[in-house]
């Protein structure tokens, strides 16, 4: 039986974490089992207390450029898997430069260059390295790369040309569930790539999915798995069934909400970056995620952009509400504000 957390323990949980307390597995079971609105609000409050202790009301802003939606993989959860018959695009270098022009002075702290495992770039990885160099020269901002499982030599070259951050999500540390999600892909390969990148001076981001067949025990396994990587950013995202994929009709009945796990992540990783993504619920969803303890807004698209996001709740909508001005305006209504670039680079430390 899972032991419930007493009210006085809730009230002191944030302070305990600030003082150095580390959650036990039983703590995690208790927190992940919470169901009542009252209990969840106490959890969110504890997470905000920890977040505010380290970051105040400062929020970081990450621009998302999905520059190629081609992919050679067959991930069962992903809209862009190679077997899905969808319209795809690959930005030219000139289009990438034009996109960069729209971002100058906009207020972003970092640019996330994301692609599927596009054969065009995997057959000649120097193309990818050149892209990183061009964006660095155009913007001079920290660059996150999300290229999939690139070889070590390419990661090194990209680092030399200006990449600061590697995002490479495991999705789950439950190996049985992993095989169902990342079909035919090496579990250890992704772990080793993050470890290599970290040793070469990259910051690294790891991430998991929820609502995709995970239960409390597999979620704890994933949370502990992420801890072993010493990540600089930790992400959780709700699985959204995607048309044309093997999991198109999958529906999960668990209560392991993204907001709950964001708060748990904040208590486990008090000084780390935790995303509030716009991908699932837009700016209203951003507010809920920040109120659960997140501190970096991700999947902000370039102005007037028709580029894809990851899950794209807003695909086909005329008003996408994912621009940086709208984000900042909403932050101000929450009593929050964008951090200074120097603040972000101090957190980055890489």
């Amino acid at each position: 039986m899972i032991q419930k957390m007493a009210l006085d323990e809730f009230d002191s949980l944030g302070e305990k974490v600030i003082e150095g307390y580390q959650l036990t597995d039983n703590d995690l079971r208790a927190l992940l089992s919470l169901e009542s609105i009252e209990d969840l609000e106490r959890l969110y409050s504890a997470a905000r207390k920890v977040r505010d202790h380290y970051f105040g009301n400062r929020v970081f802003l990450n621009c998302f450029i999905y520059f190629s939606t081609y992919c050679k993989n067959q991930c069962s959860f992903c809209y862009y898997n190679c077997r899905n018959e969808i319209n795809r695009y690959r930005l030219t270098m000139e289009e990438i430069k034009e996109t960069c022009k729209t971002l100058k002075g906009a207020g972003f702290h970092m640019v996330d260059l994301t692609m599927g495992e596009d054969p065009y770039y995997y057959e000649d990885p120097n193309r990818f390295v050149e892209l990183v160099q061009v964006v660095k020269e155009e913007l001079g901002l920290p660059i996150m790369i999300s290229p999939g499982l690139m070889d070590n030599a390419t990661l090194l070259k990209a680092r030399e040309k200006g990449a600061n951050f590697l995002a490479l999500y495991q999705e789950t540390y439950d190996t049985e569930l992993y095989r169902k999600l990342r079909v035919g892909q090496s579990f250890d390969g992704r772990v080793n790539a993050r470890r290599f990148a970290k040793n070469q001076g990259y910051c690294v981001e790891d991430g998991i999915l929820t609502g995709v067949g995970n239960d409390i025990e597999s979620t704890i396994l994933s949370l502990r798995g992420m801890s072993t990587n010493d990540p600089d950013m930790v992400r959780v995202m709700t699985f959204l069934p995607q048309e044309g994929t093997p999991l198109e009709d999958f529906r999960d009945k668990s209560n392991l909400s993204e907001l709950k796990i964001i708060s748990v992540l904040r208590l486990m990783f008090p000084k780390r970056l935790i995303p509030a993504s716009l991908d699932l619920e837009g700016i209203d969803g951003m507010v809920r995620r920040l109120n659960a303890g997140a501190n970096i807004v991700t999947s902000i698209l370039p102005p007037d952009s028709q580029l894809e996001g990851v899950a794209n709740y807003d695909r086909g909508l005329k008003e996408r509400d994912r621009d940086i001005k709208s984000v900042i305006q909403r932050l101000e209504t929450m009593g929050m504000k964008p951090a200074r670039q120097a603040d972000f680079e101090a957190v980055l430390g890489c």
Side-chain angles (χ1 to χ4, degrees):
M1 176 178 289
I2 297 172
Q3 185 175 356
K4 291 186 176 181
M5 191 166 283
L7 292 180
D8 59 339
E9 290 181 286
F10 262 126
D11 293 338
S12 64
L13 186 56
E15 289 297 336
K16 287 175 63 178
V17 168
I18 292 168
E19 292 169 1
Y21 180 75
Q22 297 183 357
L23 299 182
T24 67
D25 283 0
N26 282 336
D27 290 333
L28 294 177
R29 290 185 184 97
L31 295 174
L32 293 172
S33 300
L34 296 176
E35 294 185 3
S36 76
I37 293 175
E38 185 179 19
D39 283 347
L40 289 171
E41 287 299 332
R42 286 195 178 95
L43 173 61
Y44 303 154
S45 178
R48 288 195 302 273
K49 178 179 286 187
V50 174
R51 193 256 329 268
D52 293 349
H53 175 79
Y54 291 105
F55 299 97
N57 66 344
R58 298 169 298 158
V59 179
F60 307 111
L61 306 175
N62 194 20
C63 181
F64 187 76
I65 302 178
Y66 211 141
F67 63 90
S68 175
T69 59
Y70 287 89
C71 189
K72 60 185 176 65
N73 290 330
Q74 301 177 37
C75 297
S76 60
F77 61 91
C78 184
Y79 182 69
Y80 308 106
N81 82 71
C82 65
R83 294 190 174 183
N84 205 6
E85 297 180 1
I86 58 174
N87 293 324
R88 300 177 187 267
Y89 66 81
R90 180 188 300 119
L91 297 184
T92 66
M93 196 64 75
E94 286 305 311
E95 288 172 324
I96 289 170
K97 289 179 180 179
E98 287 300 312
T99 299
C100 287
K101 290 178 182 178
T102 69
L103 305 179
K104 290 180 179 179
F108 290 108
H109 296 100
M110 181 164 65
V111 177
D112 179 354
L113 300 177
T114 292
M115 68 175 188
E117 292 194 5
D118 183 349
Y120 174 80
Y121 288 103
Y122 273 69
E123 289 167 3
D124 185 357
N126 287 325
R127 293 167 174 160
F128 175 71
V129 174
E130 180 188 2
L131 186 152
V132 171
Q133 182 178 7
V134 165
V135 174
K136 192 71 171 187
E137 290 173 351
E138 289 286 330
L139 293 174
L141 291 173
I143 292 178
M144 170 182 278
I145 57 171
S146 307
L149 188 55
M150 276 282 187
D151 64 275
N152 289 349
T154 302
L155 290 179
L156 274 176
K157 291 178 182 178
R159 177 74 178 130
E160 292 168 358
K161 297 301 182 182
N164 305 88
F165 227 115
L166 173 69
L168 188 66
Y169 306 140
Q170 202 73 15
E171 310 301 359
T172 178
Y173 280 77
D174 177 333
T175 53
E176 182 178 350
L177 182 56
Y178 180 92
R179 286 193 291 270
K180 295 177 182 177
L181 297 178
R182 290 199 172 277
V183 178
Q185 297 175 55
S186 168
F187 181 95
D188 289 337
R190 299 179 84 80
V191 173
N192 292 336
R194 284 191 301 274
R195 186 174 296 134
F196 173 82
K198 187 80 174 177
N199 289 338
Q200 301 305 316
Y202 276 95
C203 293
V204 297
E205 181 187 14
D206 197 358
I208 60 175
L209 282 173
T210 192
V212 73
N214 53 304
D215 58 18
I216 286 177
E217 293 305 316
S218 69
T219 302
I220 292 173
L221 186 66
S222 293
L223 293 170
R224 293 302 186 201
M226 285 199 290
S227 296
T228 64
N229 295 320
D230 188 25
D232 302 276
M233 188 184 304
V234 283
R235 181 217 72 167
V236 58
M237 181 173 281
T238 303
F239 167 66
L240 182 67
Q242 299 289 309
E243 183 179 359
T245 66
L247 295 181
E248 178 178 359
D249 298 319
F250 180 84
R251 298 295 182 272
D252 190 85
K253 297 180 181 179
S254 80
N255 69 341
L256 291 166
S257 74
E258 181 178 333
L259 298 183
K260 186 192 300 185
I261 297 175
I262 284 175
S263 290
V264 171
L265 286 172
R266 177 55 64 202
L267 299 175
M268 289 184 69
F269 302 92
K271 301 178 184 179
R272 299 300 189 240
L273 297 170
I274 298 177
S277 174
L278 300 181
D279 253 321
L280 293 169
E281 300 175 302
I283 289 182
D284 288 339
M286 173 198 78
V287 172
R288 287 187 279 273
R289 287 158 176 79
L290 290 172
N291 282 334
N295 65 333
I296 180 169
V297 182
T298 62
S299 293
I300 307 174
L301 298 182
D304 301 319
S305 175
Q306 297 303 309
L307 299 181
E308 290 282 88
V310 175
N312 294 295
Y313 78 99
D314 55 353
R315 184 180 287 115
L317 297 181
K318 289 183 178 179
E319 298 293 333
R320 301 185 74 186
D321 201 27
R322 286 224 228 171
D323 62 284
I324 190 169
K325 288 183 180 179
S326 298
V327 168
I328 292 174
Q329 287 171 0
R330 185 63 71 89
L331 289 177
E332 290 172 350
T333 69
M334 300 173 67
M336 306 188 84
K337 62 182 180 181
R340 297 175 306 156
Q341 187 65 31
D343 295 331
F344 181 70
E345 294 184 9
V347 170
L348 216 60
C350 55

